[in-house]
Amino acid sequence: LMEAPEPSGARESGALMMEQVATTTEKLVRQRDWDELAKEQLEKIFSAQSDVNDMDLRRLVDNVYTLDGVEDVMGEAAPADLYAQELGGMVVVLMGENGAEIGRFEYKATGKPKPITTAAGPFLRRKFVAPAPAKEVVLPENVLLKVELSFVGSLAFDTALCSDALTFAEKGSAPLKEWCQLGALKDKLAVQVQLVQSTEGGGFHIADAYSSTPAPSSV
């Protein structure tokens, strides 16, 4: 901003300089309770929007704020380089329709990663064992699974995958085992969580999970 020069002769003539306040601005800001306005926006606008229940917002988050988007904006390492690092931890979170957290379970890696060959290239498949409490929680209708992953290495970072709402109304009464896949091999990261119906007519619970990440030699 530039400071306006003082009019010539103002000091000698004793002219009175007055600042004009824009009428529209004055009307907008006069007698406003800004704390109350901020509270109303927080309660009625921002808290009502979530990528859990707003599919448009979810697509925006997926397209802009994924690692691909970060790479384009910041010029960071490609997703394959990041996902090829060691997977240090996995947490499976159960969320209700309103986004409320139902349960959070830390999984433990077991055994050695298994090399697999796919159309998207060579990957490593790791098994993660569910803790005992996870098998005691019956999954409600329209539950969402969120898998939080922690990668360790020179480019350590955390990320998460979220499923669509799951329904079990038409699964039948016989004991079943199904899989819920989050992510995709073409995106260089996929997780499969097993859903188990232990008893006939009973509900489903989450069981063991498998991760698929790029093999280090493929990047």
Side-chain angles (χ1 to χ4, degrees), residues 78-170:
D81 296 326
L82 296 172
Y83 292 142
Q85 298 179 111
E86 182 181 353
L87 184 52
M90 175 187 293
V91 175
V92 177
V93 183
L94 308 180
M95 299 189 300
E97 292 183 83
N98 59 354
E101 191 172 297
I102 300 173
R104 171 180 291 268
F105 307 99
E106 183 175 356
Y107 278 50
K108 297 294 184 183
T110 182
K112 295 182 178 180
K114 178 182 178 182
I116 58 175
T117 301
T118 74
F123 279 72
L124 290 180
R125 185 173 171 85
R126 296 175 174 86
K127 181 179 180 180
F128 287 80
V129 178
K135 302 177 182 180
E136 300 174 359
V137 179
V138 177
L139 301 179
E141 282 292 304
N142 298 314
V143 67
L144 294 93
L145 300 189
K146 179 182 179 183
V147 178
E148 299 175 349
L149 303 166
S150 297
F151 288 85
V152 296
S154 59
L155 299 171
F157 73 103
D158 298 331
T159 189
L161 299 171
C162 188
S163 74
D164 293 325
L166 304 179
T167 178
F168 308 98
E170 300 180 359

Side-chain angles (χ1 to χ4, degrees), residues 29-209:
V29 301
R30 183 189 302 167
Q31 296 180 348
R32 289 281 184 180
D33 186 340
W34 296 107
D35 291 337
E36 185 63 28
L37 181 60
K39 181 180 179 182
E40 180 181 359
Q41 291 177 337
L42 182 62
E43 293 177 349
K44 295 184 178 180
I45 299 177
F46 297 106
S47 64
Q49 293 180 316
S50 167
D51 60 345
V52 172
N53 50 34
D54 188 325
M55 290 299 104
D56 290 332
L57 182 59
R58 183 167 176 179
R59 281 193 293 270
L60 177 64
V61 171
D62 290 341
N63 292 334
V64 177
Y65 295 104
T66 57
L67 285 173
D68 290 326
V70 172
E71 177 195 359
D72 292 339
V73 174
M74 302 185 65
E76 294 186 352
D81 296 326
L82 296 172
Y83 292 142
Q85 298 179 111
E86 182 181 353
L87 184 52
M90 175 187 293
V91 175
V92 177
V93 183
L94 308 180
M95 299 189 300
E97 292 183 83
N98 59 354
E101 191 172 297
I102 300 173
R104 171 180 291 268
F105 307 99
E106 183 175 356
Y107 278 50
K108 297 294 184 183
T110 182
K112 295 182 178 180
K114 178 182 178 182
I116 58 175
T117 301
T118 74
F123 279 72
L124 290 180
R125 185 173 171 85
R126 296 175 174 86
K127 181 179 180 180
F128 287 80
V129 178
K135 302 177 182 180
E136 300 174 359
V137 179
V138 177
L139 301 179
E141 282 292 304
N142 298 314
V143 67
L144 294 93
L145 300 189
K146 179 182 179 183
V147 178
E148 299 175 349
L149 303 166
S150 297
F151 288 85
V152 296
S154 59
L155 299 171
F157 73 103
D158 298 331
T159 189
L161 299 171
C162 188
S163 74
D164 293 325
L166 304 179
T167 178
F168 308 98
E170 300 180 359
K171 297 297 184 183
S173 58
L176 299 171
K177 291 184 179 180
E178 296 196 356
W179 293 94
C180 173
Q181 178 164 316
L182 302 88
L185 294 180
K186 66 180 180 64
D187 296 325
K188 304 302 181 183
L189 178 63
V191 174
Q192 292 177 312
V193 181
Q194 191 175 46
L195 310 178
V196 178
Q197 184 186 39
S198 299
T199 59
E200 184 174 350
F204 283 80
H205 62 78
I206 56 174
D208 297 341

